[in-house]
Amino acid sequence: MTTKTTDTPADAQVSAARMAENLKKVEALAERLGQVMSNRQGHQAALDGPNQELFAKAGQAYATEAVTNPAKLMEHQMGYWTKTVTHFMEAQQALAKGTLSAPEDKTGKDRRFSNPLWETHPYFNFVKQQYLINAEAVTQAVEDVTDMEPREKQRLAYFSRQIVDMMSPTNFLATNPDALQRAIETDGESLIKGLENLISDLESNNGELIVKLADEKAFELGRNIATSPGKVVFRNKMFELIQYTPTTEKVHATPLLIFPPWINKFYILDLKAQNSMVKWLVDQGHTLFMISWVNPDATYRDIGMEDYIQDGYLAAIREAKAITGEDQVNAVGYCIAGTTLSLTLSLLKQKGDKSVKSATLFTALTDFSDQGEFRPFLTDDFIDGIEAETADKGILPSIIMARTFSYLRANDLVYGPAVKSYMMGETPPAFDLLYWNGDGANLPAKMAMQYLRGLCQRNELAEGGFDLMGHHLVLDEVDVPLCAIACETDHIAPWKDSYRGVQKMGAKDKTFIMTQSGHIAGIVNPPSKGKYGHYTNDDTGLTHEDWLEGATFHEGSWWPRWGKWLQKRSGKMIPARTPGAEGRKIVSDAPGAYVAKKASH
């Protein structure tokens, strides 16, 4: 580690003055910390972890394994003990040489341990290797448990991984060389700044620790994010309808209407001009409408899926048709909005309403039979906690959804940012995507439970039908021309699960595209970046394995391919439509008022 040169008397006085100043700062910060923790508004205890029966069952299963297969258990215990003692002896031998060097390190690369000191310094290398040996032992112990239901074992693996990730030496000041070096270089100023960042995050979330991922002061809606010009042309209790200003002299006759997820804000599709799908679609000659959902508070307690359909989807379709004078729209649904668009299409089919000409689904799940990485959160103990939370507050606060998603990628979205902010004293980056990620939305109590119980837990839409608004809604009645986009590494809506739902839909004109990358980067993938490719296969009757085996890979973004698909279903070219033409009412400029409302905690 780096060391400072000998201080002069003048330097010592400056250092002492700085130390006194820092102590005053610490005292003030400690008072703020005590205040925020005393005012902490905690959520239901059931949401903080699994039912303790899970660990009791794990212990019982481990004991059973010890009785039925003691040799296997002994082998693993001896293997772990041998590795840890061998490494200790190697470290001792390296120190005995008097060179202050680490023993040979055969551990793999890990982004958490990028500082060279993790490999060269005997202390940090010893800590790292011992941690990795312990982590491997815990992981192996979970894998070896056989006397547990697969669902319970998956949950055990998830919560065990959380413990392993949390105990990484990078998460503690005494065993993080980066943080210690920064503290020495700044005379402790980095630690003071880190404490300020920690308290600021706690104050912003009523005592809940949610690590701020982006510099919120760097962005302003309508100024440097969500800047595509347009007008809010309609507003009700559920949404604002944005009509974007055309950039071409002529546009396709059939308007395009996008339904973003109401778990997040719509401007993920309009971050900045370089990666804005909104701008790209307008430049392709589409009359584009975007839904900006309301951010609900406790007064929305009894708002359900039926309200999102009746006062959201159907109202928006009606308004877009009235504004353009067209009989049909092309509709897009992203994530949960794609799930709900599928419900809406089944409803329209039963009503004989042909208002939707074609549908596009972005990373949408309609068959939840394989709950993937979300399985730990879809068992009764967790959902019971959600139900108690929503009954108490009238909403499912965005903080709970944010925490759930973050801990699926804890090292990248929790511990890594926390180390930089709280131990290194760094200001979060001015990154638009991370700013959007932190700008969450609440969910109404009734809607949240309908979704979690009926769609996710019981998988009613794909297995028998989902009852809503006096109708029995089924996937087979989703029969409009359909294009579905799924993402190869999506951990929220895995592509194979999205594909399985599409297979059950009744559309004869059906296109399925799998793009590289994940839930966000796979969708927000403009052609100009040339970053991620995509796969196509016309035969959607195959298993997902066979579909991928026979798929053709294409370099570059899927946007132009979808654009051509959309163009064929968008009608003739007509003079461009300007928002507010023919005396229609303008509510406000885009991006509107609803998107600016912050979620309550």
Side-chain angles (χ1 to χ4, degrees):
M1 296 179 64
T2 57
T3 57
K4 301 186 66 177
T5 56
T6 302
D7 290 340
T8 65
D11 290 332
Q13 288 182 346
V14 171
S15 181
R18 182 180 296 174
M19 179 66 72
E21 182 181 348
N22 284 341
L23 286 174
K24 289 183 180 180
K25 289 182 180 178
V26 170
E27 290 176 1
L29 290 169
E31 184 175 343
R32 281 175 61 191
L33 181 60
Q35 184 67 33
V36 72
M37 294 310 292
S38 66
N39 294 333
R40 182 176 183 268
Q41 298 177 8
H43 298 289
Q44 297 292 330
L47 301 177
D48 294 333
N51 190 309
Q52 294 302 307
E53 289 183 4
L54 175 66
F55 298 112
K57 290 178 180 178
Q60 183 180 5
Y62 196 75
T64 301
E65 187 75 18
V67 172
T68 58
N69 196 351
K72 179 181 178 182
L73 189 62
M74 183 64 71
E75 179 184 348
H76 288 160
Q77 290 286 357
M78 290 300 294
Y80 161 71
W81 185 245
T82 300
K83 284 183 180 180
T84 190
V85 172
T86 299
H87 175 238
F88 176 80
M89 297 303 295
E90 289 173 346
Q92 287 286 83
Q93 290 176 354
L95 287 174
K97 296 178 181 178
T99 58
L100 198 65
S101 62
E104 182 181 6
D105 187 347
K106 296 181 180 179
T107 58
K109 296 296 182 181
D110 187 317
R111 285 188 298 176
R112 293 173 294 178
F113 306 113
S114 58
N115 189 313
L117 288 173
W118 287 113
E119 293 187 11
T120 61
H121 194 283
Y123 168 68
F124 292 114
N125 182 263
F126 178 77
V127 169
K128 180 192 82 167
Q129 290 208 49
Q130 287 290 314
Y131 164 74
L132 292 175
I133 291 170
N134 289 328
E136 181 185 10
V138 171
T139 302
Q140 188 65 53
V142 173
E143 290 178 356
D144 288 343
V145 171
T146 58
D147 192 26
M148 288 187 77
E149 292 292 329
R151 176 185 291 268
E152 292 179 338
K153 184 173 178 179
Q154 184 180 17
R155 298 185 74 214
L156 178 64
Y158 169 80
F159 288 108
S160 298
R161 186 172 71 249
Q162 297 306 313
I163 294 172
V164 167
D165 290 344
M166 180 178 65
M167 297 307 295
S168 170
T170 54
N171 297 336
F172 301 91
L173 178 62
T175 52
N176 188 316
D178 293 297
L180 291 171
Q181 284 180 312
R182 180 68 60 86
I184 293 172
E185 292 165 359
T186 63
D187 287 325
E189 191 68 28
S190 60
L191 299 179
I192 301 296
K193 177 61 177 173
L195 184 57
E196 290 177 340
N197 291 343
L198 171 64
I199 295 172
S200 175
D201 285 355
L202 288 168
E203 290 175 336
S204 298
N205 297 289
N206 294 320
E208 292 284 344
L209 181 55
I210 298 293
V211 185
K212 191 177 297 180
L213 300 179
D215 182 3
E216 295 179 356
K217 298 177 182 178
F219 298 100
E220 181 183 344
L221 291 170
R223 182 180 65 83
N224 60 355
I225 196 169
T227 59
S228 290
K231 304 292 183 181
V232 175
V233 294
F234 176 80
R235 175 191 291 153
N236 66 10
K237 67 176 183 179
M238 297 302 297
F239 71 94
E240 290 180 328
L241 183 65
I242 300 171
Q243 181 182 355
Y244 288 97
T245 303
T247 58
T248 56
E249 291 185 1
K250 291 192 174 184
V251 295
H252 294 283
T254 305
L256 182 63
L257 175 58
I258 298 181
F259 296 94
W262 51 90
I263 293 174
N264 304 106
K265 303 290 183 68
F266 79 85
Y267 62 89
I268 185 60
L269 299 176
D270 189 34
L271 292 174
K272 54 179 177 284
Q274 296 91 320
N275 62 0
S276 170
M277 181 179 281
V278 167
K279 182 181 186 305
W280 185 83
L281 286 167
V282 171
D283 288 346
Q284 302 306 304
H286 291 284
T287 300
L288 180 62
F289 293 89
M290 177 72 75
I291 299 296
S292 176
W293 297 106
V294 71
N295 200 342
D297 56 26
T299 64
Y300 282 73
R301 171 188 300 272
D302 296 321
I303 294 295
M305 296 289 290
E306 61 271 27
D307 297 287
Y308 276 89
I309 292 177
Q310 185 67 52
D311 297 323
Y313 285 72
L314 299 183
I317 291 169
R318 182 182 66 245
E319 290 300 317
K321 287 166 54 180
I323 289 170
T324 61
E326 297 293 322
D327 294 329
Q328 292 182 305
V329 303
N330 289 318
V332 179
Y334 192 165
C335 192
I336 189 177
T339 308
T340 312
L341 176 58
S342 301
L343 292 169
T344 305
L345 292 172
S346 176
L347 177 67
L348 292 175
K349 172 71 173 178
Q350 293 182 20
K351 290 184 171 184
D353 188 330
K354 298 183 178 181
S355 293
V356 176
K357 190 174 184 179
S358 77
T360 300
L361 306 177
F362 294 167
T363 66
L365 292 180
T366 51
D367 184 342
F368 294 83
S369 55
D370 183 357
Q371 296 160 352
E373 292 190 48
F374 278 93
R375 182 169 291 179
F377 306 105
L378 293 175
T379 50
D380 280 335
D381 57 349
F382 189 84
I383 301 300
D384 288 347
I386 292 285
E387 193 162 26
E389 178 79 7
T390 58
D392 176 55
K393 291 185 168 59
I395 55 172
L396 177 60
S398 68
I399 191 173
I400 295 176
M401 297 298 293
R403 187 168 59 186
T404 300
F405 288 128
S406 293
Y407 276 96
L408 288 173
R409 295 291 182 270
N411 287 326
D412 293 332
L413 296 178
V414 181
Y415 300 120
V419 167
K420 291 180 180 178
S421 183
Y422 306 151
M423 287 202 288
M424 305 289 288
E426 296 179 5
T427 300
F431 188 11
D432 53 6
L433 178 59
L434 292 179
Y435 173 81
W436 166 85
N437 188 70
D439 189 13
N442 304 316
L443 301 181
K446 181 180 178 181
M447 172 265 141
M449 296 316 301
Q450 285 174 313
Y451 179 72
L452 292 172
R453 294 287 195 200
L455 291 172
C456 296
Q457 271 196 320
R458 296 194 292 266
N459 196 28
E460 291 175 356
L461 179 57
E463 298 179 6
F466 188 73
D467 291 325
L468 203 65
M469 303 169 65
H471 290 261
H472 191 64
L473 306 177
V474 294
L475 288 178
D476 186 58
E477 290 177 341
V478 179
D479 63 356
V480 301
L482 180 71
C483 183
I485 319 299
C487 302
E488 186 175 19
T489 59
D490 193 336
H491 65 284
I492 296 173
W495 80 267
K496 62 183 179 64
D497 300 330
S498 176
Y499 177 76
R500 188 175 57 253
V502 168
Q503 284 185 306
K504 294 181 178 180
M505 295 178 182
K508 292 183 173 61
D509 179 357
K510 192 183 297 184
T511 297
F512 188 84
I513 300 171
M514 185 183 75
T515 179
Q516 292 180 312
S517 196
H519 194 72
I520 300 301
I523 297 300
V524 184
N525 180 27
S528 59
K529 292 178 68 175
K531 193 169 184 180
Y532 302 118
H534 59 282
Y535 298 84
T536 60
N537 187 335
D538 293 336
D539 190 351
T540 55
L542 302 170
T543 64
H544 74 271
E545 296 95 343
D546 291 339
W547 184 92
L548 183 57
E549 179 68 24
T552 301
F553 177 75
H554 309 272
E555 296 285 352
S557 172
W558 56 271
W559 288 14
R561 184 175 301 280
W562 175 54
K564 291 179 181 177
W565 183 92
L566 201 57
Q567 180 180 351
K568 294 177 181 178
R569 296 158 180 83
S570 297
K572 63 183 180 181
M573 303 301 291
I574 62 172
R577 305 173 175 112
T578 302
E582 300 179 359
R584 287 198 63 88
K585 179 183 177 182
I586 295 296
V587 179
S588 71
D589 290 332
Y594 281 2
V595 71
K597 183 180 178 182
K598 296 294 183 180
S600 59
H601 302 298

